[in-house]
């Protein structure tokens, strides 16, 4: 009897999903169901010459296949059995060379997966022109198995050259706008100790095609360029190199003054240029494949060439010339806005950068945030994208969700990234999408790229929540393939991260796809923006009118009063920064897409929206809808319990509860505030629970009970 109970208990343990911390991300490699075993079986792994990237590919295939199929494939030098997997380049493998595969169009990073017959045996080949291409192919092959898709012929090459994570990590281990713990980069223990976590970080990035990273904050410290830190960075670069990931550094413009006591950091001063030349020589000696510099200059108080009455182009070009002999690039950020109360912040970057078009060296790429202000839940795309045809432009996206609920809110960013990439700028007529500007094809630029502000920290699950991992994932997949759809990527991710069972995947992906519109609705509907708490950017504070500068106060961004709400950005000249027909469209409220209504226009509270409701009633409806969507997400997730291990399941349950409470907080605080001006009553049953003063008095991170 006792034995029987024991056997039953053991059976239960064996069948219940194993608790997971999330550390393995989407690279879990759990066993495939028996029905799939024959479909994916690999008898032998056939490799040629070895190299760091090929060894990484082989190690990953062994790890993945042994996890999923129960045993690692037998290593072999030749194909002697059916079911062999051959990997390599024409240079590293005579078998690959002999297959005469169409590798030409794949460039230096693309790959091909193909079912082939070799010496009469059926097998599969993963081939590329470079070793790192083979590594990308190995990850794609494992992705097919993990997501239970058939191994059919695949050819894929990245559309962009630089696919880079920007970590806003400080040297002391803190992370600016980080919600996933402290930095994973430990500058204290580098260079001697290369944490195994760096390798897992590299694996995760390579698996989604990311090929660059800056480990230090754009609000940079000069110390990053000191000899000691260059040595530390070199050790990190060495760990990432086999995975095709290049290290770049954020640099502080005044570093020559701070490190070497130069009198100036004027880019046209010969001594300053010499300093950078010597610094570049020192860096490239330690890191031969160093990628280049990322610069935040004359932005939010950071030093820059304008301190010496020089332009952004003067600054960028000087260091570009220094990096040129080594093949390095300069990523110069366009996130600038002067402290000028008369200037509309949304127009600022355009005004400073467009006059410089044509003046930048060909190894400078100007890095532009997706929207004109700052990573809001929704913004129109930045008009800069269409206005600098003679400059390489990179798109900067934010993965870390500074303004979209940070750690806990389940917001899948795929739809936001897709909306940006597919936006038509009309730079050269219809079809001039941000994707084609970012990939360099619209104006034939050699440098192209996408940067993502990372959401990675030393939390066990890397990203602060399981669903935040999807945002890291979709960033990489879309940087590689700017045309891939957000839904396709969500499906891939959900299948690998949880299970390929359609009963789980379909509702989960639906939930993810709806989540971005939900956050827009409960935070900033109808083109509202920047109405969050000053400083931590977390909760609602449309009433905020404190702070050293006008454009850091919430009231600057909505100007609610009895006569209306919104910013007249036709008057400010912002609408006219867009190309026709957008500028005409955005210049009239009636033709402006309603999601941007109050971004471009200041309208009376009784303005009739497309639904026939007044602007006030429409605003109330959106805020309500946002909260209702989160309630639906909670109910939907509750039904997924049978498919997910308890640990990850319950994290999502708890975080959705926080999100629901905070969505109500956003809705009610904002409506209580705007109601003072609207002059219209709440629709019956819609009034916020507390008076405005209660919302205003909440301490940090606290919201009133719903
Ligand atoms: O989004 C804002 C952030 C700052 C950040 C800045 C930038 C790194 O609030 O923390 O600084 O943008 O992008 O430079």
């Amino acid at each position: 009897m006792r034995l029987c109970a024991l056997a039953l208990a053991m059976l239960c343990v064996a069948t219940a999903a194993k608790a997971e911390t999330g550390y393995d991300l989407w690279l879990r490699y759990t066993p495939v169901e028996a029905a799939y075993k024959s479909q994916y079986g690999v008898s032998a792994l056939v490799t040629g010459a070895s190299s760091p990237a090929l060894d990484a590919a082989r190690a990953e295939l062994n790890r993945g296949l042994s996890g999923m199929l129960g045993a690692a494939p037998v290593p072999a030098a030749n194909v002697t059995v059916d079911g062999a997997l051959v990997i390599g380049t024409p240079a590293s493998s005579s078998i690959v060379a002999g297959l005469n595969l169409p590798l030409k169009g794949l460039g230096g990073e693309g790959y091909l997966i193909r079912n082939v017959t070799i010496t009469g045996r059926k097998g599969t080949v993963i081939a590329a022109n470079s070793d790192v291409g083979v590594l990308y192919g190995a990850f794609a092959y494992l992705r097919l198995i993990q997501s239970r898709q058939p191994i059919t012929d695949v050819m894929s090459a990245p559309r962009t050259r630089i696919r880079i994570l920007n970590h806003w990590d400080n040297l002391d281990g803190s992370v600016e706008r980080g919600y996933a713990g402290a930095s994973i980069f430990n500058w204290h223990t580098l260079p001697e100790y290369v944490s195994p976590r760096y390798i897992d970080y590299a694996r995760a990035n390579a698996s989604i095609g990311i090929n660059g990273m800056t480990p230090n904050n754009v609000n940079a410290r000069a110390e990053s360029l000191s000899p000691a830190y260059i040595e530390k960075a070199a050790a990190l670069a060495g760990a990432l190199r086999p995975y095709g990931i290049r290290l770049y550094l954020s640099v502080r413009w005044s570093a020559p003054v701070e490190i070497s006591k130069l009198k100036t950091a004027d880019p046209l001063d010969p001594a300053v240029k010499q300093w950078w030349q010597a610094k570049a020589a020192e860096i490239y000696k330690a890191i031969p494949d160093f990628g280049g510099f990322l610069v935040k200059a004359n932005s939010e108080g950071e030093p820059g060439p304008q301190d010496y009455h020089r332009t952004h182009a003067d600054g960028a070009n000087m260091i570009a010339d220094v990096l040129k002999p080594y093949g390095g690039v300069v990523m110069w950020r366009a996130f600038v806005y002067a402290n000028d109360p008369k200037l509309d912040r949304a127009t600022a970057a355009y005004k400073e950068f467009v006059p410089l078009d044509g003046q930048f060296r060909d190894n400078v790429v100007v890095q532009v945030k997706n929207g004109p202000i700052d990573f809001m839940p929704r913004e129109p795309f930045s008009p800069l994208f269409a206005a600098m045809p003679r400059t390489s432009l990179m798109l900067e996206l934010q993965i870390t969700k500074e303004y979209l609920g940070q750690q806990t809110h389940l917001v899948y960013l795929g739809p936001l990234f897709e909306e940006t990439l597919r936006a038509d700028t009309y730079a050269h007529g219809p079809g001039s999408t941000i994707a084609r500007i970012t990939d360099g094809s619209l104006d034939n630029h050699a440098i192209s790229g996408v940067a993502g502000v990372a959401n990675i920290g030393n939390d066990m699950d890397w990203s602060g929540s399981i669903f935040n991992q999807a945002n890291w994932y979709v960033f990489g997949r879309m940087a590689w393939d700017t045309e891939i759809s957000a839904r396709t990527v969500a499906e891939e991710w959900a299948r690998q991260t949880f299970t390929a069972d359609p009963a789980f995947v379909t509702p989960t992906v639906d939930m993810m796809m709806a989540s971005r519109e939900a956050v827009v609705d409960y935070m900033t509907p109808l083109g509202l923006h920047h109405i969050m708490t000053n400083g931590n950017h977390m909760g609602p504070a449309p009433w905020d009118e404190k702070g050293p500068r006008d454009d850091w106060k919430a009231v600057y961004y909505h100007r609610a009063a009895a006569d209306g709400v919104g910013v007249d950005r036709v008057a400010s000249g912002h609408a006219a920064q867009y190309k026709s027909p957008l500028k005409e469209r955005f210049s009239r409220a009636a033709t402006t897409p309603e999601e941007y209504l109050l971004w471009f226009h200041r309208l009376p509270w009784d303005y009739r929206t497309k639904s026939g409701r007044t602007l006030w009633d429409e605003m109330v409806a959106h805020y309500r809808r946002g909260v209702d969507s989160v309630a639906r997400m909670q109910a939907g997730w509750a039904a997924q319990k049978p498919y997910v291990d308890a640990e990850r399941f319950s994290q999502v349950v708890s975080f959705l509860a926080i999100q629901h409470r905070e969505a109500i907080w956003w809705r009610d605080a904002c409506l209580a505030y705007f109601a003072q001006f609207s002059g219209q009553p709440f629709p019956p049953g819609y009034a916020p629970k507390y008076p405005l003063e209660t919302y205003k008095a909440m301490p940090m991170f606290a919201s009133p009970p719903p």
Side-chain angles (χ1 to χ4, degrees), residues 369-415:
K369 288 190 182 183
N370 60 289
I373 300 271
D374 194 10
F375 300 138
M376 297 291 117
R378 172 170 277 129
E379 296 181 56
F381 66 83
S382 165
L384 258 186
F385 284 108
M388 298 190 70
R390 291 184 292 160
T391 308
S392 296
L393 298 180
M394 249 172 101
L395 167 65
E396 180 177 315
L397 298 166
Q398 197 191 47
I399 309 170
T400 188
K401 284 178 36 245
E402 173 182 357
Y403 299 99
L404 289 91
Q406 303 182 354
Q407 179 182 4
T408 53
H409 293 209
L410 195 165
V411 180
Y412 171 54
L413 297 176

Side-chain angles (χ1 to χ4, degrees), residues 197-276:
R197 194 153 189 172
Y198 304 151
I199 308 297
D200 287 335
Y201 164 84
R203 289 174 49 234
N205 281 324
S207 78
I208 50 177
I210 289 171
N211 67 357
M213 58 85 76
T214 46
N216 62 327
N217 194 349
V218 288
N219 290 330
R221 297 280 299 259
E223 288 95 313
S224 290
L225 292 177
S226 64
Y229 272 85
I230 291 172
E231 203 191 334
K232 290 168 187 287
L236 183 57
L240 307 180
R241 188 169 294 118
Y243 296 88
I245 299 166
R246 281 182 178 209
L247 182 131
Y248 299 66
L249 285 174
S250 299
V251 295
R252 182 164 167 88
W253 189 257
S254 51
V257 177
E258 290 173 46
I259 295 181
S260 304
K261 308 276 177 280
L262 257 59
K263 284 202 190 59
T264 174
D266 179 349
L268 302 193
D269 187 300
V272 172
K273 184 166 187 181
Q274 271 161 26
W275 187 90
W276 285 101

Side-chain angles (χ1 to χ4, degrees), residues 168 176-177 219 296 300 333 335 369 374 402 537:
W168 287 355
E176 180 156 352
R177 311 305 177 187
N219 290 330
K296 172 177 178 177
E300 300 187 325
R333 295 177 86 226
F335 179 65
K369 288 190 182 183
D374 194 10
E402 173 182 357
H537 296 174

